[in-house]
Each structure stands twice: as structure tokens, then as C-alpha cells.
Amino acid sequence: MSENQNLLAEQRRALILDEVRRRGGVRVNELTRKLGVSDMTVRRDLDALARQGVLEKVHGGAVPVVEASTHEPGFEAKSGLELTAKEDIARAAAQLVAPGSAIALSGGTTTFALAHQLLDVADLTVVTNSVRVADVFHAAQRVAGPRPGAATVVLTGGVRTPSDSLVGPVADQAIGTLHFDVLFLGVHGISVEAGLSTPNLAEAETNRRLVQSARRVVVVADHTKWGVVGLSSFAALEQVDTLVTDSGLPGGARSEIAEHLRLVVAGERED
């Protein structure tokens, strides 16, 4: 892997994280040889990944974080992670939205970033169970005032989760009566075996309703979501049409995903 010495920091860290998860732990000297970079560079990368909470530093190396499948970080905790990746994903996903269409945005920090990119798309009808996403559109209208082509926003009712999504029977019933052209779905985790998953059982059921009501399903998820499995699976990869992710996704994962659905990597041209 000596050809990786000129990789961008985010790409290098993605390779490190993939190695840690695949092997259950790595040593610093192994990473310096494989990546062709200095000991100090590897240690800085491990520090950065440890601050993100995706691995744990140990003497001489790093191991995966063993996180309960029921652990659900709050919106604020997640909003500071992978900011560049989420913005790149949001810009790429926005290119899939046609003016005048009816779309749904689930809860999550990546769909929140996508909402900002959709403010200038004309005549959208936006259904969302995210308080944060709805507020993006409402705040824009408060600032700019009524304007032709502004989005019509439908916010489902329900019980609020730590990630500021509305879930439960009220949300499920509202979503079940609607039909969307495209659903943009944020996820806690994605894998071949478990499909799409979340640590919140009520959110899993609401997400199932969202998937069932959509003609097309587009998952927006950065590379750190790959290989993560939450308590409850709510959709198989075969139910997803497109995954929009960032360039940090390792090559092996790309090959696996491409066997099941269309893969769009933000900033890269599709094959």
C-alpha cells in the first residue's frame, strides 16, 4: 500500500478505520508500513479518529469501539462529525432532485445538510419527520418572505427521538397515506448482512413506512456508517436504489455495495 502515501487525510483515515474494523485492531508500526507514511502521521490520524469516537487508542495502536447496538447519539453529538463529507454528499444528492417533485427527507445530520442544498429547487413538496429539516425550510421563508416556487413542507407528528426525528404511531399513520417520488434517507448503519439499521425501534418502524411510501429510495450516508449495525434493521440493500456517500469509502466496500445498488461517490465521476 505504499502508493497510498499521497492520499488525502480523510482517505487515509478511512483506510485505517477499515483496517481496524476488519482485523479487530492494528499497531502503529503496521500502519506506517502499509500506508507509507511517518509514525507521527499515523498517530495524528489515530488521534483524529479517536476524537470522532470511531476507534479507541491503545498502547502501540488502536482497536474498534465496542458500542451498544442500542446507543443513539443526539443530533448535536453527530452534527460535528464528518462535516466535509456530509456537505459533499448533500451537494451530490441535491442533483438527484427535480423541480416540482414530491420528496421525503428522514431525520439525521446528512439530510439536514441536504435540506440546505434544496432551498432553491422550485416547487418541491417536502415531507419530513425531522424537526431540524423542517426548520431549515421554515427559517428560509421567514428570512426571505413568501416567494414563488418555495417548498411546501409537511411535518409529520410523533414522538421526538434524541436525533430530533418524529416517530411512533402518529408519524407512521401520516406517512402511510402519502406517496413520494424520492425518499432521502439518513441511516445509523449500513451493511450487506443487516441492510439499513438504527438503534431506535420506533424509528425503525417509521423508516419502514417511509421506504414503503417511496418510488425511489436514496440513502445518504458518509463512509463511517459502513459496517455499523444498530439494534433494528428496517430495509435490505435490495430495497435501496442509490447510495450517495463520500470518497472515504474503501474500495472493498464500494465493490460490495455496487453488487446491490447504484453507488454515487460525491466528487467522483460514475463509471
Side-chain angles (χ1 to χ4, degrees), residues 20-183:
V20 170
R21 287 174 171 170
R22 185 174 60 82
R23 295 177 52 194
V26 292
R27 301 189 65 81
V28 170
N29 58 6
E30 294 173 329
L31 292 173
T32 58
R33 288 197 301 271
K34 289 190 174 185
L35 296 171
V37 296
S38 69
D39 177 279
M40 188 63 68
T41 296
V42 169
R43 292 184 187 278
R44 282 198 298 267
D45 288 340
L46 294 180
D47 285 338
L49 292 167
R51 285 195 298 271
Q52 293 177 19
V54 294
L55 58 72
E56 180 181 351
K57 289 184 66 181
V58 295
H59 181 69
V63 295
V65 170
V66 179
E67 189 176 84
S69 61
T70 56
H71 175 64
E72 182 178 9
F75 186 93
E76 298 298 341
K78 293 187 290 185
S79 63
L81 302 177
E82 302 296 332
L83 288 176
T84 300
K86 289 172 183 176
E87 291 297 329
D88 290 344
I89 291 167
R91 283 191 289 271
Q95 300 302 310
L96 304 177
V97 179
S101 56
I103 66 171
L105 298 178
S106 76
T109 51
T110 309
T111 50
F112 176 73
L114 173 57
H116 286 87
Q117 297 294 324
L118 298 178
L119 292 175
D120 293 326
V121 180
D123 300 317
L124 291 180
T125 298
V126 179
V127 177
T128 184
N129 68 322
S130 168
V131 176
R132 302 278 186 152
V133 166
D135 195 52
V136 169
F137 292 97
H138 292 316
Q141 292 180 21
R142 286 196 299 268
V143 172
R147 61 182 177 82
T152 299
V153 180
V154 179
L155 178 63
T156 70
V159 178
R160 199 164 180 163
T161 70
S163 58
D164 286 345
S165 299
L166 299 177
V167 301
V170 173
D172 298 345
Q173 185 173 4
I175 293 165
T177 64
L178 301 173
H179 305 279
F180 329 120
D181 296 312
V182 189
L183 163 65

